[in-house]
């Protein structure tokens, strides 16, 4: 076993590797960028090395700096985690050339599976079923469009490099092919440095089911059963589970045998995942699944497999990389119970899952799983940490395990309802709604389920009068602990002839709220709302609900939903001019990738104006109304959240030449 390893990653995966290394007595070296100087993984590691500035190109993608840090600290091996350089064969070559061990597959294995088109040709030769489509080298648009017609619409354009849904477009009609191809190529180029694509038949009711495989350097390969990752939004996984609902013995046998065959075809060593697409339009049949791609690394969702098989896959990685054989044979690996993993992100589900930033002023996970279930929280952040625009906005992975799917699903819902996060927009309410969705609960899942139900899944009911009243109590300070600097808290419960009332102002979105909070003689709080929010409009509390106070805000938690209220500063002046409808602001930090219109152009409502790239995904910014462009951001500009991207002429100021 190694004495010391360097972890070439950050966040929750770095923390995950550190925990197992510590269990095995292996010392760890963390690397960090400027943005991560005070992060959890740096605190947990035995040593830490500064690697560069915050952008990934200057830090976590600098293989030369990472290798130098490993050599300088005496590390014997490098664990890549996932993302960044984990599937970069050139980095693997550099690691081995430096006399270090790469904790993962060989560069040859990564290259064999790194490009989807070449991988599918290899799998065809190995007898693994692949999706009907064009996987060739030629990339002329005329040829690709012709192949799409031969395959039959709808088709799927996919970047041949990378994954995560980047560079992927569904095309319904030949007239849409050219634009979809251009968009997919731009996104693929930005994400992977490779704009080549393949074209495949789009499966009508696709299930995404993957098989965890593991190989050693002695030629042994085993599978650790399947995971269902069909619950996706924008081709990115949201909730994963194992085993797959509705899985038949025949399909499991065929799929796991194909996965092991695929791994053996490239002499695979380490943790890997064989991803299949399954046509579920007529149930799960053993002749209706096809190879999509192989991820030659540990997966984000690996805890699901660990929960149902009782294994530690990171421990397996360290043992295999140090020369040991696989810890278990195939017959010794059992599938027990059911597990779910929910990915908690800083994102706005109601706004198309736009990534969010902010400071996690309040972060609290459940203390324990519901009775009969087990739970683990995988996270790389603490209360007070910032969600940076430079990296993936994952906050945590909530993983539960129980005896069967129904019990595990109930445990997942209960755990989400007791998770409290304030300071950034998060997706806990969406995750809870998905877990409770009738189709999802019944196991009737496919990759389009979220898109079909998106409105219902992302819609959050407005706060009730009781929720608003609870926020008013918190904002007034009446529910706070006594403080020498707060004369109101010292008067709690006292009144000479009648209860003392305090006038409190709040905002929820654009809604102004005025409330009167009184502290009664028996210690209860009485709240009267000036605006009728419900039938009673008056509420009594002995204690306030779950809530968090943070600078200028109150967040009240109802189940998995957090309602955030602003506590206005009476001395602050609002910038009314910036709130007008004559401009469009960036909804998130990003890069202006493409500008479609220019100054003086007349546009109509819904017309695409520019493309903003954030988190390596493209977001189209469209005109909210008819108008004439007065100013528009420059192509290639890096913008922050709230930057004015487009300004329209006021109607009376439209230039004569344009107006005519």
């Amino acid at each position: 076993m190694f004495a010391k390893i360097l972890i070439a990653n950050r966040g929750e995966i770095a923390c995950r590797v550190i925990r197992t290394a510590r269990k095995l007595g292996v010392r760890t070296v963390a690397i960090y960028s400027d943005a991560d100087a005070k992060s959890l993984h740096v605190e947990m590691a035995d040593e830490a090395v500064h690697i560069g500035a915050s952008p990934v190109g200057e830090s976590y993608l600098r293989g030369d700096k990472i290798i130098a840090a490993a050599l300088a600290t005496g590390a014997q091996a490098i664990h890549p985690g996932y993302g960044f350089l984990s599937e970069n064969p050139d980095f693997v070559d550099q690691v081995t050339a430096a006399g270090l061990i790469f904790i993962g597959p060989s560069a040859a294995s990564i290259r064999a599976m790194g490009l989807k088109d070449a991988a599918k040709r290899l799998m065809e030769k190995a007898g693994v079923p692949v999706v009907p489509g064009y996987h060739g080298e030629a990339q002329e648009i005329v040829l690709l469009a012709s192949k799409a017609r031969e395959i039959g619409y709808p088709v799927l354009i996919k970047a041949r490099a990378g994954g995560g849904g980047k560079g992927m477009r569904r095309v319904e009609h030949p007239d849409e092919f050219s634009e979809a191809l251009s968009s997919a190529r731009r996104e693929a180029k930005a994400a992977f440095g490779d704009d080549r694509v393949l074209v495949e038949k789009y499966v009508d009711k696709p299930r995404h089911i993957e098989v965890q495989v593991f190989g050693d350097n002695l030629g042994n390969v085993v599978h650790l059963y399947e995971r269902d990752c069909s619950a996706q939004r924008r081709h990115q996984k949201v909730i994963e589970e194992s085993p797959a609902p509705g899985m038949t013995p025949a399909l499991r046998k065929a799929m796991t045998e194909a996965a092991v065959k695929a791994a053996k075809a490239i002499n695979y060593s380490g943790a890997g995942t064989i991803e299949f697409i399954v046509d579920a339009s007529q149930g799960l049949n053993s002749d209706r699944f096809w190879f999509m791609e192989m991820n030659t690394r540990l997966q984000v969702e690996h805890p699901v497999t660990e929960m149902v098989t009782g294994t530690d896959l990171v421990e397996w990685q360290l043992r295999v990389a140090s020369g040991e054989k696989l810890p278990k044979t195939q017959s010794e690996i059992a599938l027990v119970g059911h597990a779910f993993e929910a990915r908690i992100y800083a994102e706005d589900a109601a706004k198309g899952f736009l990534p969010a930033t902010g400071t996690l002023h309040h972060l609290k996970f459940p203390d324990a799983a519901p009775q009969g279930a087990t739970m683990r929280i995988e996270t790389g952040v603490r209360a007070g940490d910032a969600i940076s625009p430079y990296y993936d906005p994952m906050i945590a992975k909530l993983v539960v395990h129980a005896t069967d799917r129904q019990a595990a699903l109930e445990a997942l819902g209960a755990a989400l309802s007791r998770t409290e996060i304030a300071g950034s927009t998060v997706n806990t309410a969406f995750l809870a709604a998905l877990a409770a969705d009738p189709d999802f609960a019944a196991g009737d899942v496919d990759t389009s389920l979220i898109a079909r139900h998106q409105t219902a899944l992302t819609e959050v009911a407005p706060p009730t009068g009781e929720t608003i009243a609870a926020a008013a109590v918190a904002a007034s300070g009446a529910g706070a602990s006594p403080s020498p600097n707060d004369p109101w808290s010292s008067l709690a419960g006292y009144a000479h002839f009648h209860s003392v009332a305090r006038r409190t102002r709040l905002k929820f979105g654009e809604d102004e709220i005025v409330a009167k909070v009184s502290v009664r003689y028996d210690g209860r709080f009485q709240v009267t709302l000036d605006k009728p929010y419900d039938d009673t409009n008056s509420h009594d509390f002995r204690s306030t609900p779950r809530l968090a106070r943070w600078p200028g805000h109150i967040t009240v938690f109802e189940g998995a939903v957090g309602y955030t209220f602003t506590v206005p500063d009476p001395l602050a002046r609002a910038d009314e001019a910036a709130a007008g409808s004559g401009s469009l602001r960036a909804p998130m930090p990003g890069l202006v990738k493409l500008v479609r219109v220019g100054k003086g152009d007349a546009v109509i409502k819904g017309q695409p104006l520019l493309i903003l790239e954030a988190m390596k995904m493209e977001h189209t910014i469209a005109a909210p109304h008819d108008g004439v462009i007065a100013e528009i951001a420059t192509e290639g500009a890096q913008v922050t959240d709230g930057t004015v991207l487009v300004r329209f002429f006021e109607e009376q100021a439209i230039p004569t030449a344009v107006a005519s």
Side-chain angles (χ1 to χ4, degrees):
M1 181 53 66
F2 306 113
K4 182 189 290 187
I5 63 171
L6 180 141
I7 303 166
N9 219 293
R10 62 177 300 279
E12 56 90 16
I13 183 56
C15 295
R16 166 72 187 88
V17 175
I18 290 169
R19 284 194 297 272
T20 288
R22 185 179 294 163
K23 180 181 72 174
L24 298 175
V26 177
R27 293 179 60 81
T28 54
V29 180
I31 59 172
Y32 64 93
S33 68
D34 289 347
D36 283 339
K38 297 181 179 180
S39 63
L40 182 59
H41 77 277
V42 171
E43 179 183 295
M44 289 179 63
D46 296 297
E47 301 173 55
V49 178
H50 179 251
I51 208 73
S54 300
V56 294
E58 300 176 44
S59 51
Y60 296 107
L61 292 181
R62 287 294 302 271
D64 55 338
K65 289 187 176 183
I66 293 170
I67 292 170
L71 294 172
T73 56
Q76 300 160 291
I78 293 179
H79 193 300
Y82 49 72
F84 297 138
L85 295 171
S86 62
E87 294 182 280
N88 186 317
D90 294 336
F91 177 64
V92 179
D93 285 336
Q94 292 163 10
V95 169
T96 54
L100 300 167
I101 294 174
F102 181 78
I103 302 174
S106 67
S109 293
I110 295 175
R111 286 191 175 96
M113 290 297 192
L115 298 176
K116 294 184 180 70
D117 52 355
K120 289 184 178 181
R121 292 195 294 269
L122 177 62
M123 290 298 99
E124 283 181 308
K125 291 181 181 178
V128 177
V130 300
V131 182
Y134 173 72
H135 309 132
E137 291 287 343
Q139 293 288 300
E140 293 80 6
I141 185 172
V142 174
L143 173 68
L144 294 176
S146 173
K147 293 295 182 181
R149 284 193 297 271
E150 290 178 15
I151 296 165
Y153 285 89
V155 298
L156 200 61
I157 299 173
K158 298 172 67 174
R160 75 169 195 160
K166 298 177 179 68
M168 185 182 295
R169 297 292 184 275
R170 176 180 174 174
V171 190
E172 297 284 349
H173 191 274
D175 293 344
E176 302 168 3
F177 188 84
S178 178
E179 176 65 22
L181 177 63
S182 298
S183 179
R185 280 176 163 168
R186 282 195 306 272
E187 195 168 88
K189 184 70 173 178
F192 316 120
D194 186 343
D195 67 356
R196 287 170 289 183
V197 301
L198 49 85
V199 183
E200 293 181 342
K201 177 65 179 173
Y202 183 83
V203 179
D204 289 331
K205 190 176 181 181
R207 289 269 296 273
H208 179 139
I209 301 177
E210 59 190 32
V211 175
Q212 176 74 59
V213 294
F214 219 108
D216 61 22
N217 296 312
L218 304 174
N220 302 303
V221 177
V222 297
H223 70 80
L224 292 95
Y225 300 97
E226 81 277 358
R227 295 184 292 256
D228 194 306
C229 306
S230 301
Q232 302 179 4
R233 48 96 174 124
R234 296 170 65 178
H235 305 294
Q236 296 195 345
K237 302 165 187 176
V238 175
I239 295 179
E240 302 96 350
E241 62 181 300
S242 181
M247 175 60 72
T248 65
L251 178 57
R252 177 174 289 140
K253 182 176 185 295
M255 191 174 284
T256 54
E257 286 179 353
V260 170
K261 186 184 296 183
K264 286 185 174 180
I266 57 171
N267 299 314
Y268 195 77
S269 175
T273 301
I274 311 295
E275 299 193 349
F276 296 100
I277 189 166
V278 181
D279 182 354
S281 59
Q282 299 177 13
L284 297 183
N285 298 306
S286 58
D287 61 348
R288 302 292 289 171
F289 76 96
W290 302 279
F291 171 87
M292 284 199 301
E293 61 183 328
M294 181 179 187
N295 288 301
T296 51
R297 54 170 168 77
L298 197 66
Q299 290 279 90
V300 178
E301 59 272 22
H302 77 273
V304 169
T305 294
E306 292 181 325
M307 295 289 256
V308 295
T309 59
T311 56
D312 182 336
L313 295 181
V314 175
E315 179 179 342
W316 281 34
Q317 285 186 300
L318 297 180
R319 292 193 180 282
V320 165
S322 65
E324 297 182 26
K325 69 176 183 178
L326 287 173
K328 290 185 178 182
T329 64
Q330 189 66 67
S331 62
E332 295 173 318
I333 303 171
L335 180 64
V336 180
H338 202 101
F340 284 96
E341 175 184 288
R343 303 188 187 190
I344 301 176
Y345 277 98
E347 65 180 12
D348 193 336
K351 293 183 179 179
F353 303 101
L354 288 179
T357 56
T359 298
L360 300 174
H361 291 283
H362 179 81
L363 180 64
K364 183 180 179 182
F365 298 107
D367 295 327
Q371 187 174 4
T374 56
M375 178 185 68
R376 59 192 265 194
I377 304 293
E378 299 282 345
T379 186
V381 295
R382 302 149 297 187
D385 286 352
I387 302 299
S388 166
Y390 294 105
Y391 315 118
D392 185 86
M394 180 183 287
I395 295 173
K397 302 182 304 192
L398 193 158
V399 192
V400 296
H401 177 267
T403 54
D404 54 46
R405 190 175 190 270
Q406 181 61 35
L409 192 58
E410 290 174 0
L412 177 64
L416 286 167
S417 71
R418 300 201 311 274
T419 297
E420 302 175 5
I421 305 173
S424 177
T425 303
V426 295
N427 68 340
T428 50
F430 160 71
L431 292 172
L434 177 58
D437 177 83
D439 287 349
F440 186 83
D444 185 13
V445 295
D446 62 79
T447 58
S448 299
L449 183 147
I450 290 176
R452 289 196 305 272
H453 299 184
Q454 187 163 330
T455 299
L457 293 174
T458 58
E459 186 175 47
V460 176
T464 63
E466 186 165 346
T467 298
I468 296 169
V473 171
S476 73
S481 300
S483 166
N485 299 319
D486 182 3
W488 279 98
S489 63
S490 64
L491 290 173
Y494 169 79
H496 192 58
F497 293 111
H498 54 80
S499 60
V500 179
R502 188 185 323 186
R503 191 175 178 84
T504 302
R505 292 181 179 274
L506 295 168
K507 284 189 71 176
F508 183 77
E510 297 302 314
D511 202 359
E512 299 275 356
I513 300 166
V514 179
K516 292 178 181 177
V517 180
S518 302
V519 185
R520 297 165 56 96
Y521 69 91
D522 59 1
R524 288 184 296 158
F525 310 114
Q526 185 175 53
V527 182
T528 303
L529 304 175
D530 280 8
K531 186 176 179 179
Y533 288 92
D534 52 19
D535 293 339
T536 62
N537 217 44
S538 182
H539 302 269
D540 282 5
F541 297 92
R542 183 166 296 280
S543 61
T544 54
R546 297 181 300 144
L547 56 82
R549 298 177 179 87
W550 48 289
H553 299 82
I554 303 289
T555 299
V556 181
F557 300 101
E558 286 189 7
V561 182
Y563 293 99
T564 295
F565 299 83
T566 303
V567 183
D569 180 353
L571 300 179
R573 294 184 177 180
D575 184 1
E576 299 294 339
S581 61
S583 62
L584 282 174
R585 295 179 179 272
M588 75 203 101
L591 174 72
V592 179
K593 192 70 175 180
L594 181 67
V595 176
R596 294 181 176 275
V597 296
K599 182 177 179 180
D601 287 352
V603 298
I604 60 173
K605 182 178 180 180
Q607 180 177 339
L609 305 180
L610 56 84
I611 292 175
L612 184 69
E613 180 188 281
M615 307 292 181
K616 297 297 182 183
M617 298 288 283
E618 292 187 354
H619 308 270
T620 299
I621 305 298
H625 50 69
D626 296 354
V628 177
I629 304 296
E631 294 179 15
I632 191 162
T634 304
E635 199 167 287
Q638 190 77 40
V639 298
T640 58
D641 188 8
T643 300
V644 174
L645 297 175
V646 182
R647 188 171 66 80
F648 297 94
F649 280 111
E650 296 182 7
E651 190 171 350
Q652 63 272 23
I654 296 176
T656 304
V658 174
S660 59

